[in-house]
Structures are given as structure tokens and as C-alpha cells.
Amino acid sequence: MDYKLLTPGPLTTTKSVKQAMMVDHCTWDQEYKTITQEIRQELLSLAGVSDAEYTTILMQGSGSFGVEAVLSSMLGPEDHILICVNGAYGRRIVSMSERHNLTYTVYEVAEDEIPRAADVAEILENDSSITAIAMVHSETTSGILNELDEIAKLVKDNELLFIVDAMSSFGGIPIDVSALSIDFLISSSNKCIQGVPGFSFTLAKRDQLEKRRDFARTVSLDLYDQYETMEKDGKWRFTSPTHIVLAFHQALKELDKEGGIYQRYVRYLTNNRLLRQKMAELGFQPFIKQHQGPFITSFLYPEQLAFDFDTFYHHLKQNGFVIYPGKISTVDCFRIGNIGDIYPADIDQLVEVIEKYTEVANVS
Ligand SMILES: *Cc1c(COP(=O)(O)O)cnc(C)c1O
């Protein structure tokens, strides 16, 4: 059964990205190591940062492994991390911090609100022991896009460490990593770069990496150790996901061919606006009223229909589209992603399929 994924990663990739995996590549020779180095360089250039100030570390596993690598190997006994939460991925950072016995404080707002800089400022004023802030950029739980600018100012003014989970945003929206003073930005192979799942990557400020080299609590997720090995000649510690690396290398070329991050952002934004406008015409309300991001949208179950998610899901799947169930803790939603190799024509087609469902559901 052939269908398009309207999910925020894994997502629909191009044929050429899948084709790049049809090789069983060795890992020891120069050619493979060069591919790794090219990927690392290209990620720095996408972020607009210099090789002198930043580096990229690739890490086996899904995106969460990258977040956990940063939290478990870059925070020391003197650190106290303030975690801004407005969804499940923020809460995941809290779970990881708890598991690794980090000193942390949680600042949580509702899932349809963004963390406010004024609140963060107040927390910082009342607690001078805080040394770091961690937050999610695009909270994929709801699709809300958190604002980094104002919080970044507080990070700078208070000389804090800034950790950003930009999993579902990096590559799909311009992020001025250096100007925002981000020390560790984490994303993964299967989100806006449009590769397949299997590794995460961290853009890291070199001076912080060096300063924090001895803090690792695990061997496999030791970010510094991985960096040290990779930095020599592009060799991964432990077995690298060769097919995924080849696919990602190809995906980066395709991002470049599309015109870079800004052009991709415009495509995603166009998809997202079209989706929300057409869904509104069919009577579907978005969960997020303000700060909706361009990547994924949560829609409330429509009250006027005899709505059943399973029936809806299977109707869409039979007609060529797969979506996500909701993840909001307080209301029933489903989510539609519009990232990946997806264009306005796909959105038009999807909405036609949804319209057919509403006609049937209206009768019953
Ligand atoms: C996808 C995602 C992650 C990582 O999830 P994995 O399932 O481990 O890949 C983390 N944070 C956000 C915001 C995400 O969208």
C-alpha cells in the first residue's frame, strides 16, 4: 500500500533519498569518513555558524538519544537547569533530567501557550543557582512554535547555557544559532532535512564542549567522546547507521537544490496555510490559536460530526495519506504534518479525501 506520511518524522522522503540507501557501504575507508565530514560541515553552514565557534556531532539513535546525550554528558554537578515546558517533548527533557539526577526546575505553561520571557526572568531573579535553560523550539505535541529571541536575551544577560531541542524545526525555518547564543541545538535525520530515521545531530559550541568533557554519565551517549573521535577524521564511535548516513547526505544535497532553508520554510508555510484554510472551510478548528508553527497542526475533533478517529484514519490511509493521532493531554485532537516531500497539490488532494469523510460522517 502506497501512501504519503503527513507526520512530522518519519516523513515522506524523495525517491532519490531512498535510492541512496541501496548500497552496503563500509565504514572504515576514507570515502565514508569524508561523507560524514561533509555532513558535519554542511550542517554548520546551514546553521550559518563558523567551524571555529561551533561543531556538529552525529549520534546513533533517534532524536531523543541526542537530547539525552546533551543532558547526560554536558551538565555537571554545579549545574541547575531551568526547563521550559509546554508539551510532551518538554516533559521528556524533564524525565531525562530526573533520570540522570540533574538539578532542575520546571517552568510549565499550557499546551496552547508559549513560555514567556517575563516569567523566565522572574524565575532567574529568584534563583541565582540556575546555570542553564532548556527548551523545545517547535513543540510537536501541538504544533506550536516557541519564541527563542527573548529567552535568548536572558541567557546572554545571565551567561547561562542554552540547550534547544529544535528537532522538528531545524532545516525548516531559519534559526540564527549564534545570535541566539545557543550552546547545544539538537535535531535528527528524519525531520526537516527530510532524511530517514536513525541518528540525531547536535550543533555544539566548541568551548562548552571542551569545558564539559568530563560530565558524561553513560558511555554510549557521551557527546564529548563521540566528538573527539569524529573530529579526528569523520569516524563514528561504534557502528554507524551507514544507509541512513548516505540517505541524509543525499537529503542535504536536495535541501540545497531546493534553495536552502528559507525556500523550504516558504514551502512548508504555504502547505500549512493552505491546510488550515481548507480545513477551516470544512469546519475543522485548530487547537493552537496563536503561535502556530509551519510544520504540524493539531485539529480538534469536530463536534458537528459523528467523528471517530480510527474510521477517519483508515479512510485517509486507504486514500493515500497517513496522519498522527493527537498528543494534547486535555482535549481530543488529531495532527496533520505538512513537512517532508509534500507540496500544495498533496494538501489539495488530502482535503478532498477529508471532505468525502465528512460527507459520510454527516449522514450517519
Ligand atoms: C521528534 C521529536 C523529538 C525526538 O523524538 P524521537 O522519537 O526520539 O525521534 C524530540 N523533540 C521534538 C520536539 C520532536 O519533534
Side-chain angles (χ1 to χ4, degrees):
M1 176 74 204
D2 207 16
Y3 48 72
K4 288 193 173 167
L5 295 177
L6 296 177
T7 55
L11 36 63
T12 304
T13 57
T14 62
K15 270 214 174 68
S16 35
V17 162
K18 289 186 271 283
Q19 197 63 40
M21 291 188 285
M22 299 299 284
V23 178
D24 300 311
H25 216 294
C26 61
T27 56
W28 275 97
D29 75 7
Q30 199 45 51
E31 193 193 347
Y32 184 74
K33 290 189 271 193
T34 303
I35 291 171
T36 296
Q37 297 297 55
E38 282 173 9
I39 288 173
R40 295 178 67 217
Q41 277 305 319
E42 183 59 24
L43 289 171
L44 290 183
S45 99
L46 282 176
V49 295
S50 76
D51 187 41
E53 197 186 3
Y54 282 88
T55 187
T56 318
I57 305 119
L58 313 182
M59 183 69 86
Q60 296 91 332
S62 79
S64 301
F65 291 63
V67 177
E68 192 152 13
V70 170
L71 294 170
S72 68
S73 66
M74 289 291 125
L75 292 165
E78 306 296 316
D79 280 309
H80 176 174
I81 181 171
L82 174 64
I83 308 167
C84 303
V85 177
N86 62 339
Y89 292 100
R91 282 193 289 274
R92 192 171 294 173
I93 295 178
V94 176
S95 307
M96 289 169 178
S97 302
E98 187 182 3
R99 189 64 62 92
H100 292 288
N101 272 319
L102 306 180
T103 305
Y104 65 92
T105 294
V106 179
Y107 160 53
E108 184 160 6
V109 298
E111 285 169 332
D112 59 351
E113 289 173 25
I114 61 169
R116 287 173 292 268
D119 293 347
V120 173
E122 200 182 313
I123 296 169
L124 293 175
E125 266 165 42
N126 291 325
D127 192 341
S128 60
S129 71
I130 292 170
T131 60
I133 293 182
M135 67 184 288
V136 173
H137 185 208
S138 161
E139 190 30 283
T140 322
T141 308
S142 61
I144 204 166
L145 188 67
N146 291 331
E147 275 177 16
L148 299 175
D149 293 36
E150 297 292 312
I151 294 177
K153 269 189 209 131
L154 295 169
V155 163
K156 265 179 263 184
D157 292 349
N158 295 279
E159 293 180 19
L160 306 176
L161 191 75
F162 198 18
I163 300 171
V164 178
D165 169 350
M167 208 69 64
S168 66
S169 56
F170 185 80
I173 191 168
I175 303 173
D176 199 338
V177 178
S178 177
L180 292 167
S181 292
I182 299 175
D183 295 287
F184 298 100
L185 178 146
I186 308 111
S187 187
S188 75
S189 56
N190 60 295
K191 303 253 170 150
C192 297
I193 309 283
Q194 297 185 186
V196 301
F199 69 85
S200 68
F201 57 87
T202 299
L203 296 167
K205 249 190 205 157
R206 285 181 188 270
D207 60 348
Q208 290 295 345
L209 256 181
E210 291 294 343
K211 256 191 245 170
R212 297 168 175 276
R213 59 193 296 172
D214 295 326
F215 294 157
R217 291 159 178 82
T218 74
V219 173
S220 335
L221 294 178
D222 185 337
L223 196 71
Y224 187 84
D225 212 23
Q226 182 89 338
Y227 159 71
E228 206 181 24
T229 304
M230 209 166 251
E231 187 69 356
K232 278 181 208 142
D233 61 354
K235 179 91 178 68
W236 293 55
R237 268 183 339 159
F238 318 147
T239 302
S240 72
T242 49
H243 301 83
I244 296 152
V245 167
L246 297 176
F248 192 75
H249 193 236
Q250 174 64 24
L252 283 171
K253 286 185 195 160
E254 294 177 16
L255 172 55
D256 186 50
K257 208 169 146 211
E258 184 169 350
I261 290 179
Y262 188 74
Q263 284 311 314
R264 180 156 292 180
Y265 166 63
V266 169
R267 173 164 63 86
Y268 287 169
L269 196 61
T270 308
N271 287 346
N272 188 263
R273 284 185 177 156
L274 183 66
L275 173 71
R276 286 188 291 131
Q277 180 210 323
K278 293 213 156 187
M279 288 295 277
E281 286 166 13
L282 293 181
F284 288 90
Q285 296 303 317
F287 171 67
I288 297 299
K289 308 289 183 218
Q290 270 179 15
H291 307 287
Q292 168 66 50
F295 312 109
I296 184 167
T297 310
S298 293
F299 291 101
L300 302 169
Y301 284 10
E303 279 166 15
Q304 70 277 21
L305 298 179
F307 187 84
D308 173 62
F309 180 74
D310 282 342
T311 320
F312 184 62
Y313 178 87
H314 287 290
H315 170 78
L316 295 192
K317 190 171 170 190
Q318 267 166 9
N319 289 284
F321 296 102
V322 163
I323 63 165
Y324 259 19
K327 215 175 158 90
I328 304 294
S329 42
T330 51
V331 284
D332 285 330
C333 286
F334 60 87
R335 290 178 294 165
I336 301 181
N338 54 261
I339 60 177
D341 193 38
I342 298 296
Y343 300 86
D346 297 306
I347 304 294
D348 285 335
Q349 213 184 325
L350 168 80
V351 174
E352 273 174 36
V353 172
I354 293 178
E355 188 169 16
K356 281 213 191 82
Y357 172 87
T358 62
E359 284 161 11
V360 176
N362 262 329
V363 185
S364 59

